Amino acid sequence: MAQHCSLCPVVNKICFWGPRAEKKWKRPGLFVVSILITALGALVFVPNVSDSVATHVLFSFVLSIGVFGIVVSSFGCNACVARTFGEASF
């Protein structure tokens, strides 16, 4: 039986597409992509912050995706990392 982590219930709800193949390269890949999403989101939205609710909602969504990826790649089990990373054919 596979070992599960404390993030499995959250990942299973957010990443509804089902299990994916576990690969060793997915953890560092997810970490790098998540850092880039978080950094680029901050660089794009922070200087252009306006009073628009839509801008704040979009920034919050992008930031939460990046932070979620960082948390899963740092503390999640291999199944959570593979599920969060998604399908990759290489």
Side-chain angles (χ1 to χ4, degrees), residues 8-83:
C8 282
V10 176
V11 171
N12 289 339
K13 285 186 172 117
I14 293 175
C15 306
F16 55 86
W17 43 83
R20 298 293 188 237
E22 296 178 20
K23 306 281 184 183
K24 289 184 177 184
W25 59 266
K26 286 188 176 182
R27 186 176 301 274
L30 179 63
F31 185 76
V32 168
V33 168
S34 299
I35 291 289
L36 289 174
I37 288 172
T38 305
L40 289 175
L43 289 175
V44 168
F45 288 111
V46 170
N48 300 321
V49 173
S50 66
D51 290 334
S52 171
V53 173
T55 303
H56 290 288
V57 169
L58 183 60
F59 174 67
S60 299
F61 182 70
V62 170
L63 189 62
S64 64
I65 288 173
V67 170
F68 178 70
I70 292 169
V71 169
V72 170
S73 66
S74 298
F75 303 111
C77 64
N78 289 335
C80 286
V81 170
R83 195 169 194 162

